[in-house]
Amino acid sequence: MALRLSLRELEVFAAITESGTVTAAADSLSMTQSAASQALAALESGLDASLFDRVGRRLVLNEHGRLLLPRARAMLDAAQDMQRLFDDQTALHLRLGASTTIGNYLLPEQIARFRQAQPQAQVELMVANTADIVDAVAGFKVDMGFIEGPCHHPDLLVEPWRDDTLLVFAAASHPLAQGAVSLSRLAQAQWVLRESGSGTREEVERLLLPHLGSFGEVMEMGHSEAIKRAVAAGLGVSCLSLHVVQELLDSGQIVAVLAALPTLHRTLFRITHKDKGQTRGMLLFNQG
């Protein structure tokens, strides 16, 4: 069957979804507005489907457009990789997404090693909570993601990446840091935890609630750095990755809370879209 669409038409379609207007999409692709409009019209004609709803001057993806977008992005990514296939001098371009603990404390070292081995490579890193990274991978906004919480998205492949240890901790001067603490007393403490949607929050609840039953008063903060500093200042107790708190632990500003809890282990995961091929950049990065 003869193809009724082209890569250029898909490129225009993807650019319009990013910018919201034909004019802005044309500018980003160094095209005339007329050429971009014609490409969109040809694509919609070839597919026999409208892809956008017209809302004032903006174009908003409709049901057909939302169905096409991930496939269009996957095809464009594959075409770009094919274009670089025989050109070793072309810089690799890798888009990564990571939940906050991984993005701030674990992935930078691997990115540094990758850039040392591939000095011409371009790496973009999106740092957000687990739910947002899952959405970014599902929408082909990043090539692959690294998350702390579970992922059940039907379009994504989920692989174990690393093991991680979580630590329940408090300021060295906190009453709960002065000796062994009962589980009931720990449960009733003031807790400082990540927000809902965070992979760390989900894992903390999964690992601790079977032993504590519930948390006492909970204060939510959107960043692990803020949590560990607040706890070090005496605000309450928390549970974060050992990678996050190691510096304050070594300095003695915080200590592990002594309670009858097992060692808290979790698995960190790498996620990719089922329809996305492994680019050369992805393969090289995963070897690091």
Side-chain angles (χ1 to χ4, degrees), residues 41-80:
L43 179 61
E44 291 183 322
S45 175
L47 295 173
D48 194 23
S50 173
L51 301 173
F52 295 95
D53 292 327
R54 275 68 179 174
V55 180
R57 295 184 177 182
R58 295 190 64 81
L59 297 179
V60 180
L61 281 178
N62 61 19
E63 181 182 0
H64 296 139
R66 289 191 296 272
L67 183 64
L68 176 63
L69 182 59
R71 293 166 174 79
R73 283 179 169 156
M75 189 170 292
L76 290 170
D77 285 347
Q80 289 176 350

Side-chain angles (χ1 to χ4, degrees), residues 36-265:
S37 295
Q38 290 174 13
L40 176 59
L43 179 61
E44 291 183 322
S45 175
L47 295 173
D48 194 23
S50 173
L51 301 173
F52 295 95
D53 292 327
R54 275 68 179 174
V55 180
R57 295 184 177 182
R58 295 190 64 81
L59 297 179
V60 180
L61 281 178
N62 61 19
E63 181 182 0
H64 296 139
R66 289 191 296 272
L67 183 64
L68 176 63
L69 182 59
R71 293 166 174 79
R73 283 179 169 156
M75 189 170 292
L76 290 170
D77 285 347
Q80 289 176 350
D81 200 49
M82 189 183 303
Q83 193 167 263
R84 301 185 184 107
L85 191 60
F86 303 109
D87 185 2
D88 290 337
Q89 301 307 311
T90 301
L92 301 172
H93 187 186
L94 193 58
R95 301 167 302 166
L96 305 176
S99 54
T100 52
T101 296
I102 298 174
N104 289 322
Y105 299 98
L106 295 176
L107 214 53
E109 183 178 343
Q110 185 168 345
I111 292 174
R113 289 198 303 269
F114 176 70
R115 289 280 284 109
Q116 287 168 1
Q118 305 290 334
Q120 302 304 315
Q122 300 176 34
V123 181
E124 298 177 27
L125 176 61
M126 170 187 177
V127 180
N129 67 29
T130 291
D132 290 335
I133 297 303
V134 168
D135 288 343
V137 176
F140 289 88
K141 295 179 181 178
V142 297
D143 298 318
M144 56 184 168
F146 299 85
I147 59 173
E148 301 159 53
C151 172
H152 306 292
H153 196 291
D155 295 332
L156 302 187
L157 297 173
V158 182
E159 309 169 83
W161 180 56
R162 289 191 188 179
D163 291 325
D164 189 28
T165 300
L166 297 176
L167 184 75
V168 178
F169 65 97
S173 59
H174 194 279
L176 296 184
Q178 306 311 310
V181 177
S182 69
L183 293 180
S184 61
R185 189 180 174 202
L186 181 59
Q188 294 166 12
Q190 163 78 61
W191 284 83
V192 188
L193 299 174
R194 287 291 307 275
E195 78 286 0
S196 298
S198 157
T200 294
R201 175 65 177 269
E202 289 187 36
E203 287 298 281
V204 165
E205 292 179 344
R206 181 182 69 83
L207 293 169
L208 288 182
L209 289 182
H211 303 282
L212 302 182
S214 64
F215 295 120
E217 184 179 350
V218 173
M219 175 181 290
E220 293 186 348
M221 293 187 177
H223 200 289
S224 298
E225 191 70 20
I227 291 174
K228 74 178 185 182
R229 298 296 174 185
V231 172
L235 187 57
V237 299
S238 188
C239 182
L240 292 173
S241 168
L242 189 57
H243 291 285
V244 175
V245 301
Q246 189 66 62
E247 181 182 356
L248 293 184
L249 198 63
D250 292 343
S251 70
Q253 295 179 65
I254 63 170
V255 297
V257 173
L258 301 178
L261 292 168
T263 303
L264 305 175
H265 289 297

Side-chain angles (χ1 to χ4, degrees), residues 8 12 22-23 25-27 29-39:
R8 189 59 163 170
V12 169
V22 173
T23 301
D27 288 343
L29 297 173
S30 300
M31 300 172 66
T32 65
Q33 181 178 348
S34 174
S37 295
Q38 290 174 13

